[in-house]
Structure formats: C-alpha cells, structure tokens
C-alpha cells in the first residue's frame, strides 16, 4: 500500500483523468487508470485499485438501455470465456515479476492504441464467424485482464466487428467490462491481493472517477470527438511504449 499512500495526488489525478475519458468516449477508465497507475506501482496493485470505480461505472453503462437481456443472450459465450480466461491467467501470472507484468501492460496498451490510430476499415463478421470466434476472444481477453488489469484487447475490436448500433455497442462494452471486473476482483481476492485496505482505497477512488466522468459527460458535446479520440490513443501509445521499455529494463 506504500505505493498508494506515497503518491496520493497521482492516484486522484489518474482517476479524474480516466473518469473524464470515460465520460467523453464511453470507455477507457480501466485502461487509462491502470496505465497511469503503472507508472508508480506494480500492475497487480493498480488492477486492485480500479475494481470499485470500474465495476460501478461499467455496471451502470451495461444496464442503461433496453438491450440488456438480448445482449446477454448473444454475448454469453464470450462472457463465460472471459471468466475462464481470468481464472486460468490468475493461476499463471502471480509468479511473474514486476518487469514481466509491466512489459505485458505496455504491450497491451500499445496494441489498443495502434488499433485506434491505424486507418483500418471496420470489419463486420457474420453469425457463423461470431459463434466460433467469441469464445476465443473472451478467453484472450480474460488472460490479458488477469495479466495486466486491462480489459480492452481483444474485446473492443471483437465487439466493434459485430455491427451493433452505437447505443447497443456502448451497452455491450459495459457488460463485458463488468464481467471482466468481477472476475478480476474475485481472482485478486483469492490471491490475497485485494485485501481490506486496498478495497477501501478502491472504494475511495470512486469519488474522483465519478467526478471526472461527470465532467467528461459535460465536455462531450463541446469537443471534437475525432480530435479527442486521436489525442487519447496517441497518449496511450506513448504511455504503452514507456511501460514496455520500463518492463524490459527491469527484466534485463
């Protein structure tokens, strides 16, 4: 906990910024939080700290809409595989050192930033492809979640390929991130990482995250969505590169 108590301003500012990004774009709170917190603490500790803010904001996003049951019926193979991936990853990654987890986090951020910055045409998959790709995408997302605390890869590109309308996509992201958060919290609690003190700090982090999200929602109609997303992904690219280099140095 020393990494948290030694950097209170960094932690508060991280959740304010991450909440603002989520308020503007509808996603990014766990990704930005873990990325920025990873600058001053090990990724597993950062992952425990984001549990409450991530769960509350993503649960609200996941149930706010009229498509919850339909999306659950469609996404359950992926959601189940995410849980399985987190369980498997939680058994594999606890022995990894700070260098390995920091490198993994950096690579995950680099992959997500590249997916947002590269001029790739969105691909829409058919029902048959969705049926056999969903478990694989869920399992991979669960493994990445267990190792880094980041839920976005490859879940976001997969959901974008389903051809969902904007509101349904935002709601689907909320459902996927909620399940990933709950699975991650259970894995961290089982490993003894998410103890009482860290859980308290995570609950306290909800306040700046909510404030940042409210500001982001106010800011959303007042900024260029395209420019904001470009700045967001460019920042993630730099952050991911820094963390990857830091992880490599620790491994050397």
């Amino acid at each position: 906990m020393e990494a948290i108590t030694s950097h209170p301003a960094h932690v508060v500012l991280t959740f304010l910024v991450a909440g603002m990004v989520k308020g503007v774009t509808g996603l990014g709170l766990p990704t930005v939080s873990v990325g920025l917190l990873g600058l001053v603490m090990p990724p597993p500790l950062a992952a425990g700290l984001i549990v409450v803010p991530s769960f509350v904001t993503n649960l609200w996003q996941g149930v706010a809409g009229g498509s919850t049951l339909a999306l659950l019926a469609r996404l359950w193979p992926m959601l189940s595989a995410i849980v399985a991936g987190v369980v498997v990853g939680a058994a594999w990654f606890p022995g990894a050192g700070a260098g390995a987890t920091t490198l993994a986090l950096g690579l995950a951020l680099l992959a997500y930033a590249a997916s947002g910055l590269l001029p790739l045409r969105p691909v829409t998959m058919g029902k048959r492809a969705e049926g056999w790709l969903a478990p694989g995408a869920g399992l991979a997302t669960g493994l990445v979640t267990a190792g880094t605390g980041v839920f976005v890869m490859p879940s976001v590109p997969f959901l974008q390929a389903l051809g969902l309308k904007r509101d349904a996509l935002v709601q689907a992201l909320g459902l996927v991130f909620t399940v990933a958060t709950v699975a991650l919290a259970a894995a961290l609690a089982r490993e003894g990482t998410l103890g009482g003190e860290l859980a308290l700090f995570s609950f306290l982090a909800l306040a700046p995250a909510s404030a940042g999200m409210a500001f982001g929602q106010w800011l959303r109609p007042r900024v260029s969505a395209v420019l904001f997303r470009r700045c967001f992904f460019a920042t993630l690219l730099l952050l991911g590169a820094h963390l990857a280099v830091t992880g490599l140095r620790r491994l050397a």
Side-chain angles (χ1 to χ4, degrees):
M1 301 305 135
E2 184 179 353
I4 298 175
T5 56
S6 299
H7 304 88
H10 183 97
V11 172
V12 171
L13 183 59
T14 289
F15 282 103
L16 283 170
V17 171
M20 180 195 68
V21 171
K22 185 170 182 64
V24 174
T25 66
L27 67 152
L29 189 146
T31 311
V32 174
S33 298
V34 174
L36 292 176
L37 292 172
L39 296 173
V40 298
M41 64 184 69
L45 183 60
L49 193 55
I50 71 165
V51 164
V52 173
S54 177
F55 174 75
V56 172
T57 56
N58 284 313
L59 180 62
W60 177 263
Q61 181 176 322
V63 300
S67 305
T68 304
L69 294 179
L71 286 171
L72 286 174
R74 181 173 183 177
L75 298 176
W76 72 264
M78 181 185 186
L79 298 177
S80 302
I82 288 174
V83 175
V86 171
V87 171
V88 173
W92 283 353
F93 294 126
T101 53
T102 301
L103 174 61
L105 174 58
L107 293 176
L109 293 181
L110 283 172
Y112 183 46
S115 73
L117 289 172
L118 292 175
L120 301 175
R121 286 187 174 185
V123 177
T124 302
M125 70 178 71
K127 286 286 186 180
R128 179 177 296 182
E130 178 186 344
W132 60 267
L133 284 176
L139 184 64
T141 298
L143 291 171
V144 173
T145 297
T148 67
V150 173
F151 319 143
V152 292
M153 293 299 292
S155 62
V156 172
F158 177 83
L159 291 175
Q160 289 172 334
L162 296 183
L164 298 171
K165 294 183 179 179
R166 176 175 173 79
D167 289 345
L169 175 60
V170 170
Q171 193 172 359
L173 289 167
L175 291 172
V176 167
F177 295 163
T178 297
V179 170
T181 301
V182 172
L184 178 63
L188 291 171
R190 183 181 178 185
E191 296 298 326
T193 303
L194 190 60
E197 192 173 0
L198 182 56
L200 174 61
F201 281 125
S202 182
F203 180 79
L204 293 175
L206 180 61
S210 299
M213 188 171 175
F215 175 71
Q217 290 172 335
W218 174 86
L219 188 63
R220 183 189 301 168
R222 294 170 172 81
V223 298
S224 166
V226 174
L227 178 60
F228 188 90
R229 286 181 63 85
R230 286 177 180 170
C231 292
F232 167 57
F233 283 116
T235 301
L236 281 187
L237 189 71
L238 294 174
L239 181 60
H242 174 76
L243 290 170
V245 171
T246 299
L248 286 172
R249 287 175 177 171
R250 290 175 178 173
L251 288 172

